[in-house]
Amino acid sequence: MKILAIESSCDETSMSVIEDGHIDLGTIILSQIDIHKMYGGVVPEIASRSHVENITIVLEEVLAKANLTMDEIDAIAVTYGPGLIGSLLVGLLAAKTLAYIYNKPLIPVHHIAGHIYANNLVKKMAFPLIALVISGGHTELIYMKENYSFKKIGGTLDDAVGECYDKVARVLGLPYPGGPSIDKLAKEGNDTYKLPIPLNDESYDFSFSGLKSAVINLVNNEKQKGNELRKEDLACSFQNRVVEILTKKTIKALKEYHVKNLIVAGGVAANSAIRKSLELECLKNDVNLTVPPILYCTDNAAMIGAAGFFAYQKGILANLNLNAKANCNLEEL
Ligand code: KG4
Ligand code: ZN
């Protein structure tokens, strides 16, 4: 089954053709990072306008790359939420138009389900599993008993981890998106700054706003005192606290749920220190770990096509009334 997938929830216009939920026949990702960089973050209105400009070009390119015509496509999968409403609407309208014109089934895909199923493009997902979803908008621990069954066991109570990376990077004067810049800088530094780990308790929930505030206060205090800020040491100290808490709660979940499969998903899964720490702990605890390659970690339509295949198998289909949702629950599919 060949699914044409469309993703436009934030600042990437992406389409992909995925066969049977795991073979990538062609993916196009048009990133708007260079446009948003000058504003230090994604500007929603600019993002949706760029999607409008790019969407038909991306469609032509993806079909050419996969060497297919629309008649050879079996279904259309699309991200309906969560995300920026104006951005989501562009991809959704494109999907509905194609489904209508070519008379194809329309599969609604939750963005986080997409991030999780990016792992199926690497290796067939084995169940039960725990998914650690870490992105610019989400920090969640999900338990999956079987394909397309999601139980949220914990999540952030405030900022998402990627959001925290981006804000800390901005305070340190690093370019947007902040995650990759901090990851790189941290490698040159030492863990010398004292920073708190918020919500370092026995729950599966996370809190990152306190850590972010602690970094901002530290930077301001050092400035006031006229002290020189060792940016690489601060990046390293910050990143180590993030790694510690994500690793601790993920390993706890694996043990308590008696699960031997861990997948990591979302843009922050590209982080080298998080990958390293989880690899080490999974080895110690005899857990199979899968992390997608960086291309499939950040937003892309290949993951939507992979998830769409399993949604279709569960009978999850939409009609032309499907609407975009800025916020929606993964468990309510
Ligand atoms: O999944 P994604 O592309 O978009 C959302 O759905 O949010 O994630 C983007 C987030 C940004 O916050 C970015 O700073 C972060 O992923 N990110 C990283 C790294 N690469 C991207 N964070 C930490 N380390 C990285 N290497
Ligand atoms: Zn995402």
Side-chain angles (χ1 to χ4, degrees), residues 7 9 111-112 115 135-136 266-267 297-299 303:
E7 156 65 39
S9 66
H111 184 73
I112 297 303
H115 273 304
S135 75
C297 280
T298 47
D299 289 350
M303 66 186 199

Side-chain angles (χ1 to χ4, degrees), residues 147-196:
N147 253 320
Y148 237 74
S149 124
F150 307 97
K151 180 175 183 265
K152 183 176 163 183
I153 61 171
T156 183
L157 303 181
D158 40 59
D159 289 4
V161 63
E163 191 182 350
C164 188
Y165 261 98
D166 293 338
K167 284 180 183 161
V168 166
R170 197 197 282 211
V171 176
L172 296 182
L174 301 171
Y176 175 84
S181 323
I182 291 187
D183 196 2
K184 203 167 146 216
L185 195 63
K187 288 188 183 128
E188 297 161 21
N190 295 307
D191 190 343
T192 56
Y193 284 104
K194 257 206 156 81
L195 294 169

Side-chain angles (χ1 to χ4, degrees), residues 10-216:
C10 190
D11 59 343
E12 266 95 22
T13 320
S14 179
M15 290 199 199
S16 185
V17 181
I18 298 295
E19 190 168 354
D20 298 338
H22 69 112
I23 305 164
D24 185 347
L25 298 179
T27 294
I28 301 289
I29 305 169
L30 242 171
S31 172
Q32 304 171 6
I33 281 183
D34 287 341
I35 305 171
H36 298 288
K37 222 174 202 164
M38 59 182 117
Y39 304 100
V42 177
V43 183
E45 184 58 30
I46 296 176
S48 39
R49 281 168 195 261
S50 300
H51 286 305
V52 173
E53 284 167 15
N54 295 337
I55 198 107
T56 47
I57 302 167
V58 174
L59 175 64
E60 280 172 17
E61 284 185 8
V62 80
L63 291 173
K65 196 168 180 183
N67 199 19
L68 292 168
T69 63
M70 275 308 295
D71 292 328
E72 294 167 291
I73 297 292
D74 299 304
I76 317 275
V78 63
T79 309
Y80 68 94
L84 301 171
I85 196 77
S87 291
L88 285 164
L89 279 168
V90 181
L92 190 68
L93 202 61
K96 287 205 269 189
T97 308
L98 291 169
Y100 177 67
I101 294 174
Y102 293 100
N103 197 22
K104 310 281 181 193
L106 181 64
I107 311 165
V109 176
H110 190 287
H111 184 73
I112 297 303
H115 273 304
I116 291 173
Y117 274 88
N119 287 277
N120 206 63
L121 297 162
V122 182
K123 199 166 92 188
K124 193 167 180 253
M125 282 157 58
F127 300 95
L129 64 77
I130 295 283
L132 171 67
V133 183
I134 39 179
S135 75
H138 294 266
T139 308
E140 283 168 22
L141 276 168
I142 313 274
Y143 170 75
M144 289 179 77
K145 188 166 155 262
E146 57 188 21
N147 253 320
Y148 237 74
S149 124
F150 307 97
K151 180 175 183 265
K152 183 176 163 183
I153 61 171
T156 183
L157 303 181
D158 40 59
D159 289 4
V161 63
E163 191 182 350
C164 188
Y165 261 98
D166 293 338
K167 284 180 183 161
V168 166
R170 197 197 282 211
V171 176
L172 296 182
L174 301 171
Y176 175 84
S181 323
I182 291 187
D183 196 2
K184 203 167 146 216
L185 195 63
K187 288 188 183 128
E188 297 161 21
N190 295 307
D191 190 343
T192 56
Y193 284 104
K194 257 206 156 81
L195 294 169
I197 298 188
L199 219 65
N200 190 4
D201 59 9
E202 294 308 304
S203 78
Y204 291 121
D205 288 327
F206 301 94
S207 165
F208 289 102
S209 74
L211 179 57
K212 173 193 71 188
S213 305
V215 174
I216 295 171

